[in-house]
Amino acid sequence: MEENGRHTFTQQVIDYVRDALRQGIFKPGSPITEQMLADALGASRAPIREALQTLTNEGVICSYPYRGRVIREMNPQEILDTAYLVGVIEGALAVRALPHLTAVEFDRLEALVGAMERAARTGSGIDEIERLGSEFHQLLCGGGHLAGFALHTRKICKDISRLLYYRYWREIFSLAERARRHRFLLEAVRTGDVLYIDAVFRRHHMEVGEGICRMLAAELSAREAGDKGERSPTPGVGHGGAA
């Protein structure tokens, strides 16, 4: 009983960290300590340590000598490599699931894309689009037919960059673009062309990685420009500036 309770607290800590990343409370490079989580959640140290170890194993947290634990930062190449691998894996899952998808499931996929298109037109918000997209990808990549295989395969390569840079992910595409991109995935799967499906899934995820890299580069550039501005001497008398 005590073991089950600790597991529940451990999952609560993991969920808290993930939600804090999505909300921008934690950002890549931010320190994260046991005390910080204990103060926020009132949990004991044992489940917090287990949660931090799980997140470290998943690649969300890094631990450095003399620096402690921090939220992982990814460079552009790591972001693009992760996007490529996720695209390869999802494409392979979609191809493997294709012979098992029924007409009823294709109708459900069509309904999900239709709901995304309506949500985009009515401005329902990114959260609704994300919920629909998550169900869409899960069904398209195996659903109940390949549940065990799909779960195991997804554990091999999680899209960590989407979690770490969630604030960028939300802004890369408009709601209409998100719906259109999922429509394109569905139409690709309908062709039954294995090579085409693989290519479309890779491109789908690479576009996300490239978008995150663009926004990250823009933020770094703006930050560097701001730092230079702060270091620049104020024009004045004796410095060639106007009095």
Side-chain angles (χ1 to χ4, degrees), residues 110-129:
E110 178 65 40
L112 288 168
V113 174
M116 293 177 78
E117 291 168 341
R118 288 192 297 276
R121 287 195 299 270
T122 59
S124 298
I126 184 66
D127 292 336
E128 177 65 5
I129 295 284

Side-chain angles (χ1 to χ4, degrees), residues 184-205:
F184 193 62
L185 284 179
L186 178 56
E187 294 307 320
V189 171
R190 287 188 191 278
T191 68
D193 185 328
V194 171
L195 294 179
Y196 181 60
I197 294 169
D198 277 336
V200 168
F201 270 86
R202 284 199 304 273
R203 187 68 244 153
H204 179 87
H205 287 282

Side-chain angles (χ1 to χ4, degrees), residues 41-52:
L41 299 171
S44 62
R45 293 301 179 94
I48 289 176
R49 290 193 191 102
E50 289 181 7
L52 289 173

Side-chain angles (χ1 to χ4, degrees), residues 170-189:
R170 289 176 66 96
E171 298 176 13
I172 296 170
F173 305 107
S174 68
L175 299 183
E177 286 172 330
R178 291 177 187 275
R180 187 162 55 248
R181 281 163 49 77
H182 286 80
R183 167 70 66 188
F184 193 62
L185 284 179
L186 178 56
E187 294 307 320
V189 171

Side-chain angles (χ1 to χ4, degrees), residues 145-239:
H145 304 291
L146 304 175
F149 176 73
L151 179 62
H152 174 72
T153 307
R154 284 171 179 268
K155 282 183 178 179
I156 296 174
C157 181
K158 294 186 177 181
D159 192 355
I160 298 297
S161 60
R162 172 176 162 176
L163 176 61
L164 294 175
Y165 297 97
Y166 186 75
R167 66 190 190 282
Y168 295 154
W169 178 85
R170 289 176 66 96
E171 298 176 13
I172 296 170
F173 305 107
S174 68
L175 299 183
E177 286 172 330
R178 291 177 187 275
R180 187 162 55 248
R181 281 163 49 77
H182 286 80
R183 167 70 66 188
F184 193 62
L185 284 179
L186 178 56
E187 294 307 320
V189 171
R190 287 188 191 278
T191 68
D193 185 328
V194 171
L195 294 179
Y196 181 60
I197 294 169
D198 277 336
V200 168
F201 270 86
R202 284 199 304 273
R203 187 68 244 153
H204 179 87
H205 287 282
M206 284 299 292
E207 287 172 352
V208 175
E210 290 163 357
I212 290 174
C213 287
R214 282 195 304 272
M215 297 191 75
L216 180 59
E219 183 177 274
L220 291 174
S221 179
R223 190 183 306 160
E224 289 173 359
D227 291 342
K228 288 179 182 178
E230 290 177 3
R231 290 195 297 268
S232 298
T234 303
V237 177
H239 293 282

Side-chain angles (χ1 to χ4, degrees), residues 6 29 34 41 64 79 85 107 109 171 176 192 205 210 229:
R6 190 168 74 177
E34 292 181 16
L41 299 171
Y64 300 102
I79 293 171
L85 285 172
D107 287 345
L109 288 166
E171 298 176 13
H205 287 282
E210 290 163 357

Side-chain angles (χ1 to χ4, degrees), residues 26-90:
F26 291 144
K27 295 180 181 179
S30 299
I32 181 168
T33 66
E34 292 181 16
Q35 187 61 54
M36 184 187 302
L37 297 174
D39 292 342
L41 299 171
S44 62
R45 293 301 179 94
I48 289 176
R49 290 193 191 102
E50 289 181 7
L52 289 173
Q53 187 58 54
T54 297
L55 291 166
T56 300
N57 293 341
E58 291 179 355
V60 177
I61 291 174
C62 293
S63 183
Y64 300 102
Y66 311 113
R67 187 181 173 191
R69 295 186 181 92
V70 299
I71 302 297
R72 178 183 175 186
E73 293 180 282
M74 299 178 73
N75 62 43
Q77 191 59 55
E78 289 175 321
I79 293 171
L80 293 176
D81 287 345
T82 299
Y84 179 83
L85 285 172
V86 172
V88 168
I89 287 173
E90 279 214 348

